[in-house]
């Protein structure tokens, strides 16, 4: 069962960690490259602020973004801003998201996200949690996949394994961290490969944040995953 109230609290805690970390940067550091190709840290922060507002749109029944071009233009517009402006925007947009999530609502209703993806409203707080945690890592300022809350790592691994489940380009694959196991890729009676690694390394590979070199594979090569 998805507990949206729990996830909203987790988003708040993750945002507080992010705000504290960004507050230690200066303007020059914000302008430096992030770990995402072609994006500065300012791009990442601008995206996080605009994503919060976009998810308010989702809560309120509007399109998440007007269109892809507007989304991209907004990020490019906001990326060069100084640290203090980025921080204020990130804090204020996060507060708007929390306020929208606190309103009485039918959490079982279906909502539409970017690219026509649909989900239940109750899952939107977790999706925001993913944005905040993974993009905090993407900033490259000392917060790593190993620092993510254990609950988050397990749930996001569940989500990504399910996302690739049934994908025709991903061979039947078993994933395990030595304690828990997941299945992903094409349907089959048995997996073609078993991928084993630490929780952070499995998540990093599934989320496109690590190349999988720290993982061990039995039964074949490491499967190639399509982009998220």
């Amino acid at each position: 069962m998805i507990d949206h109230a729990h996830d909203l609290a987790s988003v708040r805690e993750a945002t507080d960690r992010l705000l504290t970390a960004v507050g230690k940067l200066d303007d020059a550091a914000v302008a430096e490259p992030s770990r995402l190709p072609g994006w500065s840290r300012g791009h990442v922060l601008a995206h996080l602020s605009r994503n919060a507002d976009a998810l308010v749109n989702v809560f309120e029944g509007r399109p998440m973004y007007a269109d892809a071009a507007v989304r991209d233009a907004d990020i490019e517009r906001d990326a060069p801003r100084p640290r203090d402006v980025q921080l204020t925007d990130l804090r204020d947009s996060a507060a708007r998201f929390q306020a929208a999530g606190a309103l009485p609502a039918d959490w079982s209703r279906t909502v539409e996200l970017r690219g026509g993806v649909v989900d239940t409203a109750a899952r939107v707080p977790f999706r925001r949690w993913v944005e905040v945690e993974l993009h905090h890592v993407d900033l490259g300022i000392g917060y790593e996949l190993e620092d993510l809350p254990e609950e988050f790592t397990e749930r996001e691994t569940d989500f990504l394994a399910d996302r690739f489940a049934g994908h025709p380009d991903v061979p039947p694959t078993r994933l395990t961290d030595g304690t828990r196991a997941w299945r992903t890729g094409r349907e089959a009676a048995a997996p073609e490969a078993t991928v084993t690694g630490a929780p952070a390394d499995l998540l990093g590979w599934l989320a496109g944040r690590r190349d999988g070199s720290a993982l061990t594979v039995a039964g074949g090569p490491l499967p190639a995953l399509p982009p998220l």
Side-chain angles (χ1 to χ4, degrees):
M1 293 289 292
I2 296 294
D3 184 344
H4 68 273
H6 167 80
D7 289 347
L8 283 166
S10 297
V11 172
R12 184 182 294 109
E13 293 167 3
T15 302
D16 287 345
R17 288 193 293 271
L18 175 63
L19 290 168
T20 298
V22 174
K24 298 175 182 178
L25 304 179
D26 56 22
D27 290 349
V30 169
E32 289 173 353
S34 73
R35 291 173 173 172
L36 295 178
W39 271 18
S40 68
R41 292 184 179 123
H43 283 88
V44 175
L45 296 174
H47 164 62
L48 281 168
S49 295
R50 301 289 68 78
N51 172 263
D53 286 336
L55 291 176
V56 171
N57 289 338
V58 170
F59 277 143
E60 297 179 352
R62 297 187 297 274
M64 186 169 177
Y65 297 101
D67 57 45
V70 170
R71 170 190 176 272
D72 295 346
D74 286 349
I75 293 171
E76 290 296 333
R77 177 197 66 208
D78 294 343
R81 300 175 302 177
R83 190 278 312 268
D84 287 351
V85 178
Q86 297 277 16
L87 264 178
T88 298
D89 191 16
L90 188 60
R91 185 180 297 109
D92 291 350
S93 60
R96 290 190 291 272
F97 173 81
Q98 291 288 338
L103 295 174
D106 173 10
W107 289 96
S108 67
R109 72 190 188 280
T110 299
V111 296
E112 184 171 342
L113 301 161
R114 185 182 174 206
V117 173
V118 296
D119 207 342
T120 60
R123 289 186 61 86
V124 171
F126 179 71
R127 287 178 175 272
R128 175 61 181 175
W129 191 10
V130 172
E131 294 286 328
V132 175
E133 294 285 20
L134 292 185
H135 285 318
H136 190 167
V137 174
D138 293 335
L139 290 172
I141 55 176
Y143 190 70
E144 303 296 342
L145 293 169
E146 286 78 6
D147 299 315
L148 295 169
E150 182 179 355
E151 178 199 351
F152 173 83
T153 297
E154 182 173 355
R155 287 178 61 188
E156 180 63 354
T157 301
D158 287 342
F159 176 81
L160 292 173
D162 185 65
R163 178 166 180 165
F164 294 124
H167 196 291
D169 297 330
V170 180
T173 304
R174 179 177 184 265
L175 312 171
T176 181
D177 61 8
T179 302
R180 294 157 296 193
W182 299 263
R183 293 286 291 269
T184 196
R186 294 190 300 272
E187 294 290 338
E192 293 180 8
T194 295
V195 179
T196 304
D201 289 319
L202 284 172
L203 174 58
W205 174 61
L206 288 168
R209 266 66 180 185
R210 292 186 179 172
D211 63 9
S213 59
L215 303 172
T216 58
V217 189
L222 184 69
L225 298 177
L228 292 173

